[in-house]
Amino acid sequence: MATTGKQLFTTLAPDGTLTLELVDSQFPDPTGNQVLVKMEAAPINPSDLAILTGAADFENAEYSPGKVVAKMPEPFNSGQKARHGKRLPAGNEGAGTVVATGDSDMAKALMGQRVACVPGSAYSQYAIADAAMCLPLGDHSAEDGASSFVNPMTALGFVENAKIDGQDAILHTVGASNLGLMLNRICLEDGMKLVNIVRKDDQASLLKDQGAEWVVNSSDGDFMANLRSAINATDAFYGFDPIGGGTMVDSCFKAMEQVAVSKMTEYSRYGSNQPKRMFIYGRLDFSPTTLTPSYGFGWTLSGWLLTPFLQMAGMETTMRMRQRVLDGLTTTFASHYKTRVDLEGMLTKEAILDYRQMKTGEKYLVTPWG
Amino acid sequence: MATTGKQLFTTLAPDGTLTLELVDSQFPDPTGNQVLVKMEAAPINPSDLAILTGAADFENAEYSPGKVVAKMPEPFNSGQKARHGKRLPAGNEGAGTVVATGDSDMAKALMGQRVACVPGSAYSQYAIADAAMCLPLGDHSAEDGASSFVNPMTALGFVENAKIDGQDAILHTVGASNLGLMLNRICLEDGMKLVNIVRKDDQASLLKDQGAEWVVNSSDGDFMANLRSAINATDAFYGFDPIGGGTMVDSCFKAMEQVAVSKMTEYSRYGSNQPKRMFIYGRLDFSPTTLTPSYGFGWTLSGWLLTPFLQMAGMETTMRMRQRVLDGLTTTFASHYKTRVDLEGMLTKEAILDYRQMKTGEKYLVTPWG
């Protein structure tokens, strides 16, 4: 017998009309290794917004209860041609209680338990999830567990990736985000040096209060000099950036190269031999990334996504990371929320215009049952 | 007893004044593994222009016999702070006759021979070179051997690098350059599929006449569709670009991703799982590289330089590549020159304004003895 509940869908029409809508969905009985989770809490992460709001115009959208219709401008509409006409669920992760399971032992063992899960359809009263990706939360609340995958595994993934690449220092361009603060705690635990870039003095204070040694404010007039000092002190030639657009990656490469050149004894027209590595793992800024010809040819810039990294790192590493998250759920890996909204509340103008800004430290939590 | 000859130097003053000047230099007797080469021919490659002309204003420069004084605009002047005040030789490679050697057996064996060499100071009547990097030319002329290192080893390096990375197709964004034509010949010999991008119909014809199967003209209105077809036919998700600035790399990533997405059976908000790799190995365009958020996170862009590649590939691979170049010096690895100039001729307004444009197929050869 199918279960019925409210679920959010996002649909982009070929003409650029983006519709977010609550629908009464029927959830089939889980089979095999699936579980049916009654969702209690799901965060709105930047990675969710890519599909939820994207670059659409929500200032001039049509709002009605449980429904929003907005226009997606070019080139973002045609850039997403592959999803045109597809009604997509949203919400990467969340937490809730397992109310039905498939036949597998792994699935059956979760019956009745509160779990964190990664269904990709977490903005919903129910979600079908893979038992292998569920994390039993024990006595933790759904809110404690709601953000236990995307940010914790990403932050841990940076440190794991750095270790795999033989680095002992990392640069992070949005130091005071939920993920940034988490990364700072992980790095302190692991003795990994971390250069944090922030935009405001209070963000710098926050990080320093939490033990961060190298914090650089990009709004300061001497930002580049301070960044060079921090890189010089740490040898952080390896960084992660969630902004994507604009000149932040370029500034990091410049500072890295200037530090490397300052340590050279002889001039080379090709710049330093120091490999410089940056990863873009988000798109807080949709504008183009600009790279200037000012740091030679010894640099590499990549996109970074959690899933391919975990595939590369392997199951054993992934399980070790998951266990570490569970052990530190309310300490190292704690997330903080600005506010809570239900599914209808997610689709109000006030809420969308606020959470889509992805302001540092102002994350929303969706509670699908109110 | 020191040998005397004319040599070109390039000096950038802190105020942005770039001076190119012929100087009577004294060349010390070679020691150890060094040889003294009487230079007979040296090409002007784009990689030489970085230090020779850069972004300086040669339209309004002061020209006198054997000397040019030009202004280097910002940000290019401060970007080259590391060379401020340094009088630098120029000319990566060339060919000539060994007229004196150091004590090592390797050096002594080259006495009297015509060799190709990589002295970094080839725009000169004499140059001190490393015997280990000299290629004895046998009966070949100096002109035949002048360009036997930079372009041949770079083009071969692309194919070697692609093989190391498990690729069997390459994309090259300036297909009709000297290097591009060479790459086409290498790929035909090795069965490596090659997608060539050109800007003009006659360049496309030239490549096709030389057996190229996939040639795409970026000036055509259906460039992107043609590029996608070529990538679809070859699976060339791995490319090399000497332009650097502008949107060419972005266009390649876009086309690669669109091809990969077209082969997916299910939509993913994160784009395809197809890794996309581009290398920037030159800066024909000094403007910033712009990367748009339109191909997910499965991409990597790196600078590419020959020397670090050869270090990574190892001595055995390097020697094998060198031997292959020598075997195909007048066939696979032949270079063509638009014109010949002597050292004074290099520094005339007419010559500089022409060769600094780095037009496809219009390479200059410097003959230091006229």
Side-chain angles (χ1 to χ4, degrees):
Chain A
M1 200 196 73
T3 306
T4 303
K6 280 188 286 191
Q7 181 174 16
L8 186 148
F9 283 97
T10 168
T11 311
L12 182 64
D15 70 353
T17 304
L18 178 72
T19 305
L20 305 181
E21 193 170 15
L22 294 184
V23 171
D24 285 318
S25 282
Q26 291 216 323
F27 299 88
D29 290 335
T31 59
N33 213 35
Q34 293 179 333
V35 295
L36 182 66
V37 183
K38 184 177 178 183
M39 298 301 299
E40 293 159 35
I44 303 180
N45 288 317
S47 54
D48 296 307
L49 291 175
I51 194 173
L52 199 62
T53 57
D57 176 10
F58 283 95
E59 197 68 63
N60 301 300
E62 289 168 38
Y63 292 84
S64 52
K67 187 172 180 179
V68 190
V69 180
K71 270 309 215 189
M72 183 74 71
E74 290 298 340
F76 303 101
N77 179 44
S78 48
Q80 298 179 76
K81 206 161 56 182
R83 64 171 282 201
H84 279 168
K86 294 195 169 67
R87 205 181 71 155
L88 302 170
N92 283 311
E93 66 178 340
T97 302
V98 175
V99 294
T101 77
D103 291 335
S104 83
D105 289 342
M106 190 191 269
K108 284 195 282 191
L110 294 173
M111 185 63 199
Q113 291 204 52
R114 176 166 286 150
V115 298
C117 57
V118 198
S121 57
Y123 304 145
S124 178
Q125 292 185 317
Y126 294 93
I128 293 283
D130 178 355
M133 297 292 278
C134 286
L135 192 66
L137 291 172
D139 292 336
H140 290 297
S141 69
E143 180 170 327
D144 283 345
S147 295
S148 64
F149 192 80
V150 177
N151 275 356
M153 293 294 275
T154 300
L156 264 181
F158 295 170
V159 177
E160 292 286 337
N161 212 348
K163 288 176 184 172
I164 289 169
D165 287 344
Q167 306 294 315
D168 60 6
I170 289 177
L171 184 155
H172 187 231
T173 63
V174 181
S177 65
N178 252 310
L179 192 153
L181 297 173
M182 215 174 269
L183 182 62
N184 180 52
R185 294 191 290 267
I186 297 166
C187 286
L188 286 171
E189 286 176 19
D190 289 12
M192 174 76 67
K193 285 169 276 185
L194 176 67
V195 174
N196 299 279
I197 298 177
V198 298
R199 284 176 307 160
K200 294 175 182 168
D201 284 337
D202 59 351
Q203 295 169 343
S205 304
L206 178 67
L207 270 161
K208 284 180 179 165
D209 288 348
Q210 298 191 14
E213 190 165 353
W214 298 280
V215 185
V216 181
N217 187 340
S218 61
S219 305
D220 286 348
D222 51 359
F223 166 55
M224 284 303 285
N226 294 338
L227 183 57
R228 284 193 297 268
S229 298
I231 292 169
N232 193 54
T234 56
D235 278 342
F237 295 103
Y238 189 94
F240 294 88
D241 169 68
I243 305 169
T247 60
M248 181 56 88
V249 166
D250 191 61
S251 297
C252 293
F253 277 141
K254 273 183 191 161
M256 289 174 179
E257 176 67 3
Q258 287 162 5
V259 169
V261 165
S262 75
K263 295 179 178 178
M264 289 168 72
T265 50
E266 208 172 311
Y267 173 72
S268 163
R269 65 198 70 182
Y270 298 114
S272 76
N273 288 322
Q274 172 64 52
K276 296 163 286 292
R277 192 89 164 88
M278 291 289 294
F279 298 90
I280 291 178
Y281 71 94
R283 275 284 173 184
L284 295 177
D285 181 344
F286 281 113
S287 70
T289 314
T290 61
L291 305 174
T292 57
S294 42
Y295 25 88
F297 291 85
W299 55 271
T300 294
L301 173 62
S302 301
W304 196 96
L305 266 188
L306 180 55
T307 308
F309 169 73
L310 292 178
Q311 280 163 359
M312 185 272 280
M315 183 55 78
E316 197 180 313
T317 300
T318 303
M319 295 313 291
R320 176 169 52 75
M321 290 165 66
R322 288 292 269 164
Q323 185 59 47
R324 185 170 171 184
V325 173
L326 187 60
D327 292 345
L329 201 59
T330 57
T331 53
T332 307
F333 299 101
S335 281
H336 298 282
Y337 304 98
K338 174 187 184 178
T339 191
R340 280 144 201 82
V341 286
D342 61 13
L343 290 169
E344 285 78 9
M346 266 189 87
L347 299 186
T348 63
K349 184 170 183 176
E350 184 190 22
I352 291 180
L353 293 184
D354 192 34
Y355 63 68
R356 77 167 317 188
Q357 294 181 70
M358 303 180 277
K359 281 192 187 159
T360 303
E362 302 199 355
K363 199 184 283 291
Y364 272 57
L365 187 70
V366 180
T367 52
W369 295 88
Chain B
M1 199 197 72
T3 307
T4 303
K6 280 188 286 188
Q7 180 174 18
L8 186 148
F9 283 97
T10 168
T11 310
L12 182 64
D15 71 353
T17 305
L18 178 71
T19 305
L20 306 182
E21 194 170 13
L22 294 184
V23 171
D24 285 319
S25 281
Q26 292 218 324
F27 299 88
D29 290 335
T31 60
N33 214 35
Q34 292 179 333
V35 295
L36 182 66
V37 183
K38 184 176 178 185
M39 298 302 299
E40 294 160 32
I44 304 180
N45 288 316
S47 53
D48 295 308
L49 291 176
I51 195 173
L52 198 61
T53 57
D57 177 9
F58 283 95
E59 197 66 64
N60 302 299
E62 289 169 38
Y63 292 84
S64 52
K67 186 172 179 178
V68 191
V69 180
K71 268 307 211 192
M72 184 72 72
E74 290 298 338
F76 303 101
N77 179 43
S78 48
Q80 298 178 78
K81 206 160 56 180
R83 64 173 281 201
H84 279 169
K86 294 194 169 65
R87 206 181 70 155
L88 302 171
N92 283 311
E93 66 178 341
T97 302
V98 175
V99 295
T101 77
D103 291 334
S104 83
D105 289 342
M106 189 191 271
K108 284 194 282 190
L110 295 173
M111 186 63 200
Q113 292 205 53
R114 178 165 285 152
V115 296
C117 57
V118 197
S121 56
Y123 303 144
S124 178
Q125 292 186 317
Y126 293 93
I128 293 282
D130 178 355
M133 297 292 278
C134 287
L135 191 66
L137 292 173
D139 291 337
H140 290 298
S141 69
E143 181 169 327
D144 284 344
S147 294
S148 65
F149 190 80
V150 176
N151 275 356
M153 293 295 275
T154 300
L156 264 181
F158 295 170
V159 177
E160 292 285 338
N161 212 349
K163 289 176 183 172
I164 290 170
D165 287 343
Q167 306 293 316
D168 59 7
I170 290 177
L171 184 155
H172 187 228
T173 64
V174 182
S177 65
N178 252 313
L179 193 152
L181 297 173
M182 214 174 269
L183 182 62
N184 179 52
R185 294 191 290 268
I186 297 166
C187 286
L188 287 170
E189 286 176 18
D190 289 12
M192 174 75 68
K193 286 169 277 185
L194 177 66
V195 174
N196 298 280
I197 298 176
V198 299
R199 283 175 308 160
K200 292 175 182 170
D201 284 336
D202 59 349
Q203 294 169 343
S205 306
L206 179 67
L207 270 161
K208 284 179 181 166
D209 288 348
Q210 298 191 13
E213 190 165 354
W214 298 280
V215 185
V216 181
N217 186 339
S218 62
S219 305
D220 286 348
D222 51 358
F223 165 55
M224 283 302 285
N226 294 339
L227 183 56
R228 283 193 297 267
S229 297
I231 292 169
N232 192 54
T234 56
D235 279 342
F237 295 104
Y238 190 95
F240 294 88
D241 169 67
I243 305 168
T247 60
M248 181 56 88
V249 166
D250 191 60
S251 297
C252 293
F253 276 142
K254 274 183 189 160
M256 289 175 179
E257 175 67 3
Q258 287 162 4
V259 169
V261 165
S262 74
K263 295 179 177 178
M264 289 168 72
T265 51
E266 208 173 311
Y267 173 73
S268 164
R269 68 199 66 182
Y270 297 115
S272 77
N273 289 321
Q274 172 64 53
K276 295 163 287 291
R277 193 89 165 88
M278 291 289 295
F279 298 90
I280 291 177
Y281 72 92
R283 276 285 172 182
L284 295 177
D285 181 344
F286 280 114
S287 70
T289 315
T290 61
L291 305 174
T292 58
S294 43
Y295 27 86
F297 292 86
W299 54 271
T300 294
L301 174 62
S302 300
W304 196 97
L305 268 188
L306 181 56
T307 308
F309 169 73
L310 293 178
Q311 280 163 357
M312 186 271 282
M315 185 53 80
E316 199 180 312
T317 300
T318 303
M319 295 314 290
R320 176 169 51 75
M321 290 165 65
R322 288 293 266 166
Q323 186 59 47
R324 185 170 171 184
V325 172
L326 187 58
D327 293 343
L329 201 59
T330 57
T331 53
T332 308
F333 300 101
S335 281
H336 298 281
Y337 304 98
K338 174 186 183 178
T339 191
R340 281 145 202 79
V341 286
D342 61 12
L343 289 169
E344 284 78 10
M346 263 189 89
L347 299 186
T348 63
K349 185 172 186 176
E350 184 189 23
I352 291 180
L353 292 183
D354 193 33
Y355 64 67
R356 75 168 315 192
Q357 293 181 71
M358 304 182 273
K359 282 191 187 161
T360 303
E362 302 199 355
K363 200 184 283 290
Y364 272 58
L365 186 71
V366 180
T367 51
W369 295 89

